[in-house]
Amino acid sequence: MENSAFQFEFIQSISKVNAADWDRLAGDLPPFISYAFLSALESSRSVGFETGWQPQHLLIYQNERLVGMLPLYSKTHSYGEYVFDFAWANAYHQHGLAYYPKLVSAIPFTPVTSERLILDERLSSEELIPDILQELRLFVEEKGYSSLHCLFLPMEMSKTLETNKLVQRRSVQFQWFNREYSDFNAFLLSLTARRRKSIRKERQKVGNANVQVSRICGDQMNAEHMDFFYQCYRQTYLKRSGHEGYLTKAFFDQILQNMAANLMLVIAQIGQEPVAAALYIYNKNQLCGRYWGALRDVDGLHFECCYYQGIEFCIEKNIASFNPGTQGEHKILRGFEPIYCYSNHWLKEPAFHHAITKFVEQESPEITRYKEQAAELLPFKQLD
């Protein structure tokens, strides 16, 4: 597919692209966009036809030079996306239509806002968007997809897609922001006395249980550490969901080998026995808490490993924000602030696209109200 200036190609594996070309465009974007992360998902079979996440990445060329890319997946379900459209799928089913497969631009199992359309710095996304959307709509028609979905977009890109007739939908996440705190105690001093006392008590419970918590980064992390982490990850998924988790052991081994500089592992142990672990992915701008598991229940240990250790790490490394994952109102009282997340949607069937537009319009005031109510619960002193 091509127009006078650009050529478009859809590929079913990132291995079709030179890693250096991909990362040249990705630059300083979050590690989830990197070739190492996306290729680890594919080569470890964490994504693929068998998992319902078949890659269909869009490449954009100009004069045979790669100048843009858009991670895309053909989906046969809606799991691992964190923008919930199960009701839409049910509506299709009730009318005798197939909602799956659908075409999704997202990072699998990663509800983190970041650029999806990655372009050479000399190109304008606003100028290219109409051509790209034309290619995507033609691809949807050709392959028999019901719809196109772009998830966890920056606000400006979401607005641009909205002006091009992709319905904008909002959701709410909770993130922590580093306001140049000198240490964890300085962060606590920004909170109300009641919340300071509560957090200190939570952390003290972990200490009283004789748990020692440590952080391991980069080349300090080895295969033994990752083996233990995966044991925790797998066990927690089995206990909670009855399956071993979306990500395979090979995925974690590969990111340890190829992107250790972006990994931070928290390990909790009692004496010489490790009992829990949490894996973070980060760059100089943002820390993301991604995966957690425990072999033993200890009161307060989840908060310690998944929230407080992350906050301390951001303060020590001067990292601006911390995304601990999606959902969870309990984060509010620990200083995680509500923010909007944006997704955009186009349904090929005009009647359903109109219905979804109306649904999102009706949902929007509830999302606004939820965010406002969440903000009222924040424990910062200036909000008393």
Side-chain angles (χ1 to χ4, degrees):
M1 299 179 183
E2 63 181 90
N3 63 22
S4 58
F6 299 97
Q7 299 79 47
F8 300 87
E9 179 186 1
F10 292 91
I11 59 171
Q12 294 193 350
S13 172
I14 196 173
S15 65
K16 304 290 186 182
V17 186
N18 180 275
D21 287 342
W22 185 285
D23 287 336
R24 167 178 56 83
L25 293 179
D28 290 332
L29 290 175
F32 307 108
I33 302 294
S34 70
Y35 190 95
F37 188 86
L38 293 173
S39 64
L41 286 171
E42 294 183 21
S43 59
S44 69
R45 298 190 177 182
S46 298
V47 304
F49 178 78
E50 299 84 358
T51 68
W53 282 91
Q54 175 59 51
Q56 296 283 6
H57 308 310
L58 173 62
L59 305 181
I60 306 169
Y61 290 91
Q62 187 177 40
N63 299 323
E64 300 184 356
R65 175 180 168 84
L66 184 67
V67 295
M69 58 235 188
L70 180 70
L72 283 169
Y73 296 86
S74 172
K75 290 297 304 296
T76 56
H77 54 72
S78 291
Y79 296 104
E81 297 173 17
Y82 306 97
V83 176
F84 302 106
D85 62 352
F86 296 104
W88 303 359
N90 288 337
Y92 263 66
H93 179 72
Q94 290 167 7
H95 286 80
L97 298 174
Y99 188 66
Y100 306 108
K102 60 180 182 175
L103 188 62
V104 177
S105 177
I107 305 302
F109 323 115
T110 307
V112 176
T113 294
S114 66
E115 296 291 345
R116 292 289 175 264
L117 176 60
I118 308 163
L119 295 176
D120 186 287
E121 60 185 10
R122 294 168 292 184
L123 299 179
S124 164
S125 60
E126 287 199 19
E127 291 179 9
L128 262 176
I129 284 292
D131 287 342
I132 293 169
L133 290 178
Q134 180 183 9
E135 294 297 328
L136 291 173
R137 288 182 170 119
L138 287 171
F139 191 67
V140 166
E141 293 280 356
E142 177 188 334
K143 298 297 182 181
Y145 298 121
S146 71
S147 48
L148 169 66
H149 308 264
C150 302
L151 311 182
F152 292 97
L153 300 174
M155 181 178 65
E156 290 304 316
M157 175 56 74
S158 180
K159 285 182 177 178
T160 299
L161 293 184
E162 186 177 31
T163 63
N164 284 273
K165 301 183 179 179
L166 273 72
V167 178
Q168 183 190 80
R169 189 183 188 191
R170 296 178 303 162
S171 59
V172 174
Q173 275 187 347
F174 303 99
Q175 292 195 23
W176 182 87
F177 296 96
N178 188 352
R179 295 190 167 85
E180 300 183 352
Y181 301 113
S182 58
D183 54 26
F184 190 85
N185 191 57
F187 160 64
L188 289 182
L189 290 173
S190 72
L191 307 180
T192 63
R194 181 179 180 184
R195 288 311 305 164
R196 284 200 303 275
K197 182 178 179 181
S198 177
I199 290 173
R200 284 173 174 148
K201 187 179 292 186
E202 275 183 346
R203 303 196 81 182
Q204 188 59 47
K205 283 181 182 178
V206 175
N208 291 343
N210 296 317
V211 177
Q212 297 85 42
V213 181
S214 59
R215 295 194 293 271
I216 306 168
C217 297
D219 58 9
Q220 298 175 326
M221 203 181 307
N222 58 38
E224 184 179 350
H225 294 133
M226 194 61 83
D227 288 347
F228 172 70
F229 163 76
Y230 183 73
Q231 182 185 358
C232 294
Y233 169 84
R234 178 176 174 272
Q235 179 64 30
T236 297
Y237 261 98
L238 281 170
K239 182 178 179 180
R240 184 175 62 193
S241 306
H243 64 85
E244 296 186 1
Y246 294 118
L247 301 167
T248 65
K249 176 66 163 53
F251 167 77
F252 294 108
D253 290 341
Q254 288 181 41
I255 63 171
L256 174 61
Q257 180 178 347
N258 297 321
M259 51 186 300
N262 298 111
L263 303 182
M264 189 270 281
L265 182 64
V266 172
I267 292 184
Q269 58 188 58
I270 298 176
Q272 298 301 310
E273 178 192 1
V275 295
L279 185 64
Y280 295 76
I281 298 179
Y282 73 98
N283 63 8
K284 62 183 180 181
N285 301 313
Q286 185 179 44
L287 174 72
C288 296
R290 297 306 312 128
Y291 319 107
W292 144 265
L295 304 183
R296 187 186 297 190
D297 290 330
V298 177
D299 192 15
L301 188 56
H302 175 261
F303 298 139
E304 178 64 32
C305 291
C306 297
Y307 302 152
Y308 303 140
Q309 289 294 320
I311 290 172
E312 284 191 341
F313 186 77
C314 285
I315 294 171
E316 289 177 12
K317 299 293 185 180
N318 197 29
I319 296 172
S321 65
F322 170 22
N323 179 332
T326 195
Q327 301 179 307
E329 289 82 358
H330 54 275
K331 296 167 184 166
I332 302 169
L333 296 181
R334 293 165 178 85
F336 292 84
E337 304 175 32
I339 64 164
Y340 286 126
C341 298
Y342 300 91
S343 60
N344 291 76
H345 311 268
W346 175 74
L347 288 81
K348 182 174 64 176
E349 205 53 59
F352 276 95
H353 187 78
H354 177 73
I356 293 307
T357 301
K358 290 297 182 184
F359 171 85
V360 171
E361 288 175 356
Q362 294 168 3
E363 178 188 58
S364 184
E366 292 299 321
I367 299 297
T368 300
R369 189 156 37 248
Y370 174 73
K371 181 176 180 291
E372 290 173 348
Q373 291 172 348
E376 291 174 359
L377 298 175
L378 284 167
F380 297 103
K381 287 190 289 192
Q382 61 266 33
L383 298 181
D384 287 354

